[in-house]
Amino acid sequence: MAMEILKKKKDFQRVYRRGHSVASNVLVLYLSRNRGQGRRFGFSVSKKTGKAVVRNRVRRVLREICRLNEGWFPQDHDVVIIARREAVGKNFHDLAAQLYHLTRRAARKMTLKG
């Protein structure tokens, strides 16, 4: 089954408004519960990051990490990943390690808040 991607601005805004966030110097991760729509992913890479080729490469790598490791993310949640400038030049494994670390921190944060 294909990974579902968030594309509409209103979906991103809802995740930013209602979601929990954790950040590192490379990535920001937002998690927000959705109404039984499964895991949905959104990716945001600012123009400050670089030209289109650079932004698209970062987005493709992040999408592949999420596709291969969907189990890292809670079921029935929307996930938005924002790449910061420091993500440029990082390889697949570095970004995967960063994202894994953020998902663990987010899970702890969400269980503490209830």
Side-chain angles (χ1 to χ4, degrees):
M1 188 170 116
M3 187 171 80
E4 193 167 344
I5 303 292
L6 296 175
K7 292 184 180 170
K8 295 186 178 174
K9 183 178 178 176
K10 68 176 184 157
D11 291 334
F12 278 84
Q13 294 298 330
R14 186 178 49 74
V15 173
Y16 295 146
R17 209 172 38 252
R18 297 184 188 162
H20 301 284
S21 68
V22 289
S24 72
N25 62 333
V26 178
L27 300 171
V28 180
L29 173 72
Y30 282 88
L31 286 172
S32 175
R33 185 176 292 281
N34 62 34
R35 296 188 181 102
Q37 297 166 326
R39 290 183 194 102
R40 301 187 307 170
F41 294 90
F43 303 93
S44 178
V45 184
S46 168
K47 285 188 177 182
K48 292 178 186 177
T49 307
K51 298 202 181 259
V53 172
V54 173
R55 294 192 311 268
N56 288 334
R57 182 189 180 281
V58 170
R59 194 175 297 117
R60 274 195 316 273
V61 169
L62 289 172
R63 190 177 299 139
E64 184 66 5
I65 291 167
C66 291
R67 186 186 71 81
L68 293 173
N69 303 292
E70 280 191 61
W72 290 355
F73 304 96
Q75 190 63 277
D76 294 332
H77 277 71
D78 290 338
V79 179
V80 173
I81 300 166
I82 302 171
R84 293 184 168 167
R85 225 180 254 160
E86 287 76 12
V88 175
K90 298 274 188 208
N91 65 28
F92 180 93
H93 299 290
D94 292 340
L95 288 173
Q98 284 281 328
L99 192 53
Y100 179 77
H101 179 68
L102 287 178
T103 58
R104 298 303 112 205
R105 281 182 45 206
R108 280 196 305 272
K109 184 177 179 181
M110 289 174 68
T111 56
L112 291 176
K113 285 190 174 183

